[in-house]
Amino acid sequence: MKLASIGLVGLLLLARQSFGAPNKCVSPQPPPVTHKKPNFVVILTDDQDQLMNSLDYQPYVKRHFIDEGTSFTKYYTTSAMCCPSRVSLWLGQFAHNHNVTDESRPHGSYYKFQAGNLDDSWLPVWLQEEGYSNHYIGKFINGVNKDNTVAPKGWDHFEPLVSPGIYNFTNPIFSLNGGPLESFPGVYQTDLIRDKSLARIDALVEKKKEGDNPFLLVISPTAPHDEIQEDGTFTPPVPADRHKHLFPDARVPRTPNFNPAVQDKVGWIRDLPLLSPLQVEEIDHHYRQRLRSLQATDELVDSVVKKLAANDLLDNTYLVYTTDNGYHLGQHRLFAGKQTPIENDINIPFIIRGPGIAKKQIKTNPATHSHFPATVLDLAGIKRPTNLDATSLFDPEHTESFNVEFWSNQFTEGGSKLKHKKNSYKALRLISQKHDLYYSVWCTHEHEFYDMKVDPYQLSNNHSAADRKLLDRLDALVVVLHDCKGEVCKFPWRTIHKDGQVHSLDDALDAKHDAFYSALPKFRFKSCKVYYDADNEGAGSSPFS
């Protein structure tokens, strides 16, 4: 790849533009690239919530990331499960394009990733082609086991956790570059990942003495994911001994959607019974264990930042703190877990600091994991591939809408093996200065609609009472986004209105378009399947093809 014409300096200028930039073509003057290539350090946790306040219990994340960088508070995973979410993070594609849609075979896991040759063209390879060395330590995706430790393309140092040591906090198992397994019985997993990461930084510092040698370092502890026992049972995460007595009075925030008396949802969620007092007590214990397990991660953050600073690397390094998907505990009577399109499961932390990134800033433009590769490539001054489904986080020409999708059973974590079928859905999130909307179509032919400015906790499904003209526009977006690729995902209004006159929902709501939208076919599933089948969903003959 060649250096992008816009370069790092131009990107940082764009980063300072306000969220309210109009959705129209922008042609900034490209200054020459004068900066040396920046480094990237990504701390990727597992199942960390954005909406249950876990970040409030991480003082080092606040000191080193929130206070020193920009927080994207409307940042989302578009498939609330570890494997599809992590693959989207590195490929810049929605799950319907990379088709890793589950945790295990045949529809997910590292085996599915390998079968699709997805490491032929993804962020580590694109960076490596431009002189980066790439390093990964910690959890990758499920399916890395004793029979399958081969490193994917693009990594110079690939040291993943290996099953059954991925979700065991006190008996981690690693493999280096596809080599033999190395077990560490009795060693706390996050502390070991910290030590391995600090040693890797030391090695990178020595390498830099030979030349520029920019690097990507990914540090991925399993916390605060549940621990998984040999029989497949999920139990609360295990904190380090030094943290096991912290926060004795902490409990899940009692937001209006916590175990609500009235449950106005769809399908199996609607029919869930109220949580019992004993279950609520278990949920609060689970919450405390999650917070405690994150303390070692918080200390890891402090150690890594101090190590970078001690070696004069901070000034030319972008640091990212994020997770793969969100988590619910008691919201909408859901005991514990993910895999639904509710806001707790899909809205996740994303914080970035580095050269030119504003400090103590909050940005509310909508963004997803699919935006991550474009962001890294832009900050590195590297030309983006054409198949990315999203723009940079700092691109003023951002989209206001994106698709959330899932095709699998929902299984309950926290000690239960209960599974809920018919959990396949397509959901739309549309976020702008004026609108904050959620709309979903389920495989059961049920629908949901929430104006999140009025009903942020998704308590009252307003689909039957919503303005039909508005729903017609949202239906059209779902039709376009459900199988979109590349530019169509980035700019769906251009597909719906090929004359280029509509750039936003406000434009589309002009009454002159009422008849056009009313006549469009609506999205639907033919049946409930636990895998992505393009022929099973759509709107018949698409009017936009």
Side-chain angles (χ1 to χ4, degrees):
M1 294 180 185
K2 303 299 182 184
L3 289 179
S5 61
I6 185 170
L8 175 62
V9 177
L11 251 294
L12 299 180
L13 291 173
L14 295 181
R16 297 188 180 100
Q17 296 193 31
S18 68
F19 164 56
N23 289 327
K24 61 184 181 181
C25 294
V26 178
S27 299
Q29 293 299 313
V33 177
T34 56
H35 290 66
K36 61 182 179 180
K37 294 177 183 176
N39 308 305
F40 295 91
V41 174
V42 179
I43 298 176
L44 176 62
T45 62
D46 199 356
D47 286 11
Q48 184 168 0
D49 61 277
Q50 164 85 352
L51 300 177
M52 294 191 302
N53 303 338
S54 63
L55 290 172
D56 293 348
Y57 292 82
Q58 293 181 274
Y60 289 125
V61 170
K62 182 180 186 303
R63 178 186 304 176
H64 296 307
F65 279 89
I66 296 173
D67 290 349
E68 293 293 326
T70 295
S71 301
F72 287 78
T73 57
K74 291 293 186 179
Y75 187 94
Y76 292 81
T77 177
T78 56
S79 293
M81 183 180 271
C82 301
C83 283
S85 180
R86 286 171 179 250
V87 174
S88 289
L89 176 71
W90 299 112
L91 266 74
Q93 294 180 342
F94 296 113
H96 65 259
N97 285 329
H98 60 66
N99 205 22
V100 176
T101 61
D102 210 333
E103 301 284 48
S104 56
R105 291 183 284 184
H107 308 299
S109 84
Y110 190 33
Y111 288 91
K112 179 67 178 289
F113 177 93
Q114 292 166 313
N117 297 313
L118 296 181
D119 58 347
D120 283 349
S121 182
W122 65 329
L123 184 60
V125 167
W126 302 328
L127 289 174
Q128 197 175 68
E129 291 173 345
E130 294 294 333
Y132 276 79
S133 66
N134 302 320
H135 310 261
Y136 199 108
I137 300 172
K139 178 185 172 179
F140 182 52
I141 59 176
N142 289 13
V144 180
N145 56 39
K146 64 182 179 61
D147 299 317
N148 190 16
T149 60
V150 61
K153 297 172 186 174
W155 299 102
D156 299 86
H157 179 105
F158 185 68
E159 195 169 7
L161 284 160
V162 179
S163 180
I166 298 175
Y167 300 110
N168 190 311
F169 282 85
T170 55
N171 188 22
I173 302 171
F174 286 86
S175 170
L176 176 59
N177 296 331
L181 302 186
E182 189 176 7
S183 299
F184 297 86
V187 178
Y188 192 67
Q189 184 206 99
T190 308
D191 291 347
L192 183 57
I193 291 174
R194 177 202 61 207
D195 294 345
K196 287 179 175 290
S197 300
L198 296 178
R200 186 92 306 251
I201 295 172
D202 285 336
L204 291 170
V205 170
E206 289 301 310
K207 184 70 173 175
K208 276 188 169 291
K209 293 178 181 178
E210 302 173 9
D212 185 14
N213 297 310
F215 63 82
L216 164 68
L217 171 61
V218 182
I219 304 168
S220 187
T222 299
H225 194 287
D226 283 8
E227 191 164 79
I228 302 180
Q229 307 306 318
E230 290 185 5
D231 64 355
T233 300
F234 286 72
T235 55
V238 177
D241 285 345
R242 62 189 181 277
H243 301 136
K244 63 183 180 181
H245 298 302
L246 295 177
F247 319 125
D249 300 322
R251 64 177 193 165
V252 179
R254 295 310 199 253
T255 49
N257 61 348
F258 181 84
N259 199 24
V262 178
Q263 180 74 315
D264 189 9
K265 302 296 287 181
V266 300
W268 64 268
I269 303 178
R270 178 188 60 239
D271 297 332
L272 291 172
L274 276 169
L275 297 166
S276 69
L278 178 59
Q279 287 177 311
V280 171
E281 184 177 325
E282 291 174 352
I283 286 171
D284 283 336
H285 170 70
H286 195 154
Y287 180 67
R288 287 188 285 272
Q289 291 295 91
R290 284 172 55 84
L291 298 179
R292 291 162 177 161
S293 75
L294 281 169
Q295 298 313 296
T297 300
D298 200 45
E299 293 169 354
L300 178 156
V301 166
D302 187 49
S303 297
V304 167
V305 173
K306 287 179 177 177
K307 173 70 76 168
L308 293 170
N311 289 282
D312 296 322
L313 291 173
L314 271 185
D315 288 345
N316 195 43
T317 298
Y318 291 98
L319 293 95
V320 170
Y321 188 91
T322 189
T323 191
D324 47 15
N325 48 254
Y327 203 76
H328 61 249
L329 274 170
Q331 283 77 28
H332 300 288
R333 305 182 189 172
L334 294 162
F335 185 84
K338 52 207 176 214
Q339 304 132 21
T340 80
I342 68 170
E343 201 76 351
N344 288 77
D345 288 1
I346 61 175
N347 186 198
I348 58 178
F350 187 95
I351 315 161
I352 183 171
R353 62 170 286 182
I357 301 295
K359 298 182 179 182
K360 295 184 178 180
Q361 183 169 344
I362 294 175
K363 290 183 75 70
T364 57
N365 52 298
T368 71
H369 266 345
S370 295
H371 288 75
F372 181 70
T375 303
V376 171
L377 293 174
D378 279 8
L379 293 173
I382 299 172
K383 185 178 180 180
R384 306 178 196 169
T386 58
N387 64 338
L388 296 181
D389 289 339
T391 62
S392 164
L393 289 167
F394 299 112
D395 198 324
E397 199 180 9
H398 61 268
T399 182
E400 63 182 1
S401 60
F402 56 88
N403 174 61
V404 178
E405 52 196 4
F406 202 79
W407 312 265
S408 186
N409 295 327
Q410 192 275 346
F411 60 88
T412 300
E413 299 181 4
S416 171
K417 294 184 179 180
L418 184 64
K419 291 187 177 182
H420 298 287
K421 299 181 179 179
K422 300 182 179 180
N423 191 53
S424 296
Y425 53 79
K426 292 281 185 172
L428 173 76
R429 286 294 274 117
L430 188 147
I431 302 167
S432 65
Q433 286 187 318
K434 182 176 180 181
H435 302 287
D436 190 352
L437 305 176
Y438 166 100
Y439 177 69
S440 61
V441 182
W442 290 68
C443 67
T444 56
H445 307 302
E446 297 171 284
H447 295 76
E448 290 178 291
F449 173 73
Y450 304 97
D451 183 338
M452 304 291 282
K453 287 183 178 289
V454 177
D455 186 8
Y457 297 104
Q458 299 169 291
L459 295 173
S460 181
N461 181 4
N462 200 39
H463 180 261
S464 61
D467 182 356
R468 185 66 251 177
K469 294 178 181 178
L470 171 60
L471 295 183
D472 285 342
R473 274 69 171 177
L474 301 184
D475 267 314
L477 283 172
V478 174
V479 170
V480 170
L481 291 172
H482 87 277
D483 62 352
C484 68
K485 297 181 186 297
E487 293 301 299
V488 176
C489 303
K490 299 170 191 170
F491 308 112
W493 294 116
R494 295 180 187 176
T495 299
I496 300 173
H497 292 271
K498 292 183 170 51
D499 60 6
Q501 297 302 305
V502 171
H503 305 283
S504 66
L505 177 61
D506 282 340
D507 293 343
L509 285 171
D510 192 305
K512 67 183 179 182
H513 302 304
D514 286 353
F516 167 73
Y517 280 101
S518 177
L520 292 176
K522 312 306 180 190
F523 177 87
R524 67 182 180 88
F525 289 90
K526 293 179 182 177
S527 64
C528 288
K529 295 186 176 182
V530 294
Y531 58 92
Y532 175 49
D533 177 1
D535 294 332
N536 187 53
E537 54 188 65
S541 179
S542 174
F544 308 122
S545 58

